[in-house]
Amino acid sequence: MTNPQISIRNLCVDYITDAGDVRAVNNVSFDIGKGEVFGLAGESGCGKSTVAFSLMRLHKPPAFITGGEVLFDGHGDILQFSEDQINAFRWSEISMVFQSAMNALNPVLTMEEQFCDVIMRHTNFTRQQAIRRAEGLLEIVDIHPSRLQDYPHQFSGGMRQRLVIAIALALNPKMIIMDEPTTALDVVVQREILQKIYALKEEFGFSILFITHDISLMVEFSDRIGIMYSGELVEVAPSKQILETPFHPYTEGLGSSFPPLTGPKTRLTGIPGNPLNLLEVPKGCRFQARCSKAHEACFSQPTQLTQLEPNRFSNCHLFTKRS
Ligand SMILES: Nc1ncnc2c1ncn2[C@@H]1O[C@H](COP(=O)(O)OP(=O)(O)OP(=O)(O)O)[C@@H](O)[C@H]1O
Ligand SMILES: [Mg+2]
């Protein structure tokens, strides 16, 4: 990709615990374009949040970034930033919307306090200027500015999530990471919020890393999707193609695990077997034990994400052998 917003190269993250060292993110590489929505999908525990937190350098021990580079729009490698550099960078260049709005907001402070805290910490705005900015942000997410005086519990779940989004927008970041931004909400509110986010993205031009369990929502709202399995990126493709013509057997399995958006009803098959125990990573492909197409190379040679078509990548031996 020419001139991406962010370039993640061979990112490795380990959890170093008494039970053993776990490589939760292994050699993950992908780019997100300017203004692009990139979806990251995969079973629970495959490493999506670990990637998200590492990009913001918000990971905490026992998680350690053990390799790779994260290049952000001419700023160099985020992973090499000093604490001061990363503190200035976080929220103003990349911000994040966490899964639970209630945990992201401070229950004992009014929203005015919370907005002013973020804005005044990162700019030289006066309090009055910060309040004006906060009022503007509330309007952007369709909440009346007078509600700045309210506490988080005085808002509905959907409104709280919109408040968190408004805080993420406060410093005009170039990229927003959204880790399960609407999982706690009902389906109708979920869609409304995602439509709002999408409209804001069109208006302000930021990029989005979008993480969700809901593959149909992801296909609808993302430009491209990366599928993770056991800490590795196994496939990257435009969202319209990834389920229609999957290259990786795991993606194929994901596609048959949920009902199609359109067309006739089909029997859902799912993916047999369990996710890999990361303490016992086999030689060869990490998906080998669950793959009906596994052959000799899959048990002996490690896989590598390989470009197969201009906009398509997969790490499956079935395809890499052909190219
Ligand atoms: N504090 C920790 N100590 C040890 N291992 C951890 C810790 N936190 C996460 N892990 C392991 O790292 C792996 C990736 O976890 P992560 O939370 O990134 O997955 P995820 O894809 O975001 O899952 P989910 O969809 O459930 O949010 C998992 O196998 C998990 O067991
Ligand atoms: Mg997660």
Side-chain angles (χ1 to χ4, degrees):
M1 180 181 289
T2 50
N3 202 11
Q5 185 64 60
I6 193 167
S7 251
I8 296 128
R9 289 286 163 269
N10 303 314
L11 180 68
C12 295
V13 187
D14 292 10
Y15 286 95
I16 299 180
T17 66
D18 292 343
D21 296 356
V22 162
R23 171 63 55 92
V25 173
N26 191 35
N27 269 324
V28 164
S29 301
F30 62 97
D31 290 346
I32 305 180
K34 294 191 168 131
E36 184 180 35
V37 183
F38 187 92
L40 202 53
E43 283 165 312
S44 184
C46 70
K48 305 178 295 294
S49 296
T50 306
V51 169
F53 279 89
S54 304
L55 300 187
M56 290 279 279
R57 294 254 310 263
L58 282 173
H59 63 290
K60 296 203 176 73
F64 295 91
I65 296 177
T66 48
E69 288 183 326
V70 177
L71 305 169
F72 191 84
D73 195 20
H75 289 268
D77 182 4
I78 299 175
L79 301 184
Q80 302 302 327
F81 280 10
S82 66
E83 276 308 306
D84 284 348
Q85 278 177 304
I86 193 74
N87 286 336
F89 181 85
R90 212 184 271 140
W91 303 115
S92 52
E93 298 284 332
I94 306 185
S95 66
M96 188 160 175
V97 174
F98 297 96
Q99 177 168 354
S100 165
M102 209 49 204
N103 295 341
L105 299 172
N106 187 331
V108 297
L109 295 179
T110 64
M111 288 316 302
E112 181 178 301
E113 291 298 331
Q114 304 195 44
F115 274 101
C116 286
D117 178 50
V118 172
I119 296 166
M120 290 170 71
R121 206 155 12 105
H122 287 89
T123 64
N124 43 23
F125 278 25
T126 63
R127 185 162 181 99
Q128 272 319 307
Q129 287 171 320
I131 292 172
R132 289 287 93 73
R133 172 80 184 137
E135 287 171 346
L137 289 162
L138 282 201
E139 275 174 356
I140 286 175
V141 294
D142 304 321
I143 295 176
H144 197 275
S146 64
R147 307 271 332 246
L148 271 183
Q149 302 312 322
D150 290 347
Y151 290 87
H153 73 267
Q154 291 171 287
F155 295 89
S156 70
M159 285 170 111
R160 280 200 291 267
Q161 202 60 28
R162 279 185 276 144
L163 289 169
V164 173
I165 292 164
I167 292 177
L169 290 170
L171 304 164
N172 281 328
K174 298 199 183 81
M175 182 172 139
I176 304 185
I177 299 175
M178 305 204 172
D179 191 356
E180 310 271 2
T182 59
T183 306
L185 305 171
D186 71 57
V187 186
V188 176
V189 179
Q190 263 190 17
R191 192 163 294 272
E192 272 172 23
I193 292 203
L194 288 172
Q195 278 160 351
K196 184 81 216 173
I197 293 170
Y198 202 86
L200 294 171
K201 179 203 83 102
E202 295 288 285
E203 190 178 344
F204 297 106
F206 48 81
S207 316
I208 299 178
L209 175 61
F210 179 40
I211 298 173
T212 173
H213 278 104
D214 189 327
I215 301 266
S216 353
L217 274 183
M218 181 164 279
V219 167
E220 192 178 338
F221 286 98
S222 306
D223 298 306
R224 287 186 308 139
I225 292 178
I227 305 287
M228 283 186 78
Y229 182 76
S230 288
E232 293 183 345
L233 207 48
V234 297
E235 180 150 8
V236 178
S239 59
K240 301 285 173 288
Q241 293 171 18
I242 200 154
L243 295 178
E244 278 171 24
T245 56
F247 281 178
H248 198 285
Y250 177 64
T251 316
E252 208 175 311
L254 273 187
S256 56
S257 312
F258 75 96
L261 291 174
T262 52
K265 286 188 186 139
T266 51
R267 178 166 284 280
L268 303 180
T269 49
I271 306 168
N274 294 313
L276 191 65
N277 174 357
L278 289 173
L279 287 167
E280 293 165 16
V281 174
K283 220 169 139 189
C285 173
R286 290 188 172 202
F287 190 56
Q288 57 179 243
R290 299 171 77 185
C291 183
S292 59
K293 296 175 181 157
H295 58 95
E296 208 184 317
C298 311
F299 296 96
S300 56
Q301 292 165 27
T303 54
Q304 195 178 6
L305 196 70
T306 309
Q307 183 160 15
L308 303 171
E309 287 179 10
N311 212 358
R312 301 211 48 177
F313 300 79
S314 171
N315 82 341
C316 177
H317 282 311
L318 285 176
F319 294 93
T320 42
K321 270 180 68 138
R322 266 192 220 163
S323 59

